[in-house]
Amino acid sequence: MPITDITSGLFATISILAALNYRNITGRGQYIDISMLDVNSYLLVNQFMNYIATGINPERLGSAHPSIVPYQVFKAGDDYIAVTVGTEKLWGLFCSALNIENLKNNDRFSTNEKRLENRDELINIINNEFKKYTVDELIKKFNEYGIPCSRVNKISDVIMDKQLNYREMIKDVHFGNKNIKMLNSPV
């Protein structure tokens, strides 16, 4: 995915709008300079700031959050689910939803700081627990407890999404002698 290309374009657009606003207020123009390297680095702002503060290079964590555990994608029995347990209250609810109350007050996992220290062990436990459920079962449980979660959709799922289709993000376009589906602009 050309994330740097796309976000550089967005930053360029934001800069142009800011320059136009400045011109409308002051009557003076602005010089805009956008570097894709700068933008790509900025997208790592949390990782950069953690390195600047500690001098420690961040580990590669895949989809996991560098400072909140659990906060990542997991494999359920049938597919993938993203779960964000960003507070101690949510941690307790997460344990209740999965009926793993023994982890809630366990000294190794009772606070986010301790969960960070024991990330590998905890993620292994959660992975084993998630395998017992389908994504739909987990979503139902987590919704009952107010735990942020989402199915990790495939493009084939997203293209059929009712909201995206209602918003006309998936559009039929007449091209030559046939209609083809296109991804519409979000603007």
Side-chain angles (χ1 to χ4, degrees):
M1 179 168 85
I3 191 77
T4 303
D5 300 54
I6 293 167
T7 53
S8 294
L10 292 172
F11 275 104
T13 303
I14 293 166
S15 299
I16 290 165
L17 293 172
L20 288 171
N21 191 48
Y22 183 83
R23 185 197 64 191
N24 290 339
I25 294 169
T26 67
R28 295 194 325 259
Q30 294 280 295
Y31 174 77
I32 297 171
D33 178 8
I34 301 291
S35 156
M36 289 177 67
L37 175 61
D38 295 350
V39 169
N40 199 39
S41 298
Y42 185 77
L43 294 176
L44 295 170
V45 66
N46 289 345
Q47 299 289 30
F48 265 89
M49 294 312 295
N50 285 338
Y51 175 79
I52 289 168
T54 66
I56 300 169
N57 275 310
E59 295 179 37
R60 295 175 191 259
L61 299 172
S63 68
H65 194 284
S67 58
I68 302 172
V69 178
Y71 193 116
Q72 67 187 70
V73 172
F74 293 94
K75 175 81 166 79
D78 62 340
D79 216 339
Y80 292 90
I81 182 171
V83 179
T84 60
V85 181
T87 67
E88 297 308 332
K89 178 181 177 184
L90 285 174
W91 170 245
L93 293 170
F94 176 82
C95 291
S96 296
L98 291 174
N99 198 25
I100 51 174
E101 301 280 349
N102 60 315
L103 296 183
K104 187 184 332 187
N105 297 316
N106 184 306
D107 285 339
R108 294 184 322 275
F109 313 123
S110 60
T111 67
N112 186 63
E113 184 177 353
K114 291 179 181 180
R115 290 190 296 276
L116 277 169
E117 291 172 11
N118 299 291
R119 178 193 298 265
D120 293 340
E121 180 183 0
L122 179 59
I123 296 306
N124 188 44
I125 293 168
I126 294 171
N127 278 329
N128 288 331
E129 195 63 33
F130 273 41
K131 289 176 186 175
K132 299 175 184 176
Y133 302 98
T134 66
V135 169
D136 286 339
E137 291 169 334
L138 289 168
I139 287 173
K140 183 178 180 195
K141 285 176 174 291
F142 293 150
N143 283 340
E144 288 173 9
Y145 284 85
I147 298 163
C149 67
S150 176
R151 172 183 301 280
V152 177
N153 290 312
K154 298 171 185 72
I155 297 294
S156 58
D157 300 323
V158 177
I159 203 166
M160 300 306 294
D161 185 83
K162 290 178 185 176
Q163 181 67 13
L164 280 181
N165 281 281
Y166 175 80
R167 301 268 310 148
E168 297 181 355
M169 280 300 297
I170 312 301
K171 192 169 186 168
D172 284 322
V173 177
H174 189 72
F175 186 76
N177 61 356
K178 62 182 176 177
N179 285 336
I180 60 171
K181 288 198 180 298
M182 299 279 297
L183 187 59
N184 204 0
S185 170
V187 178

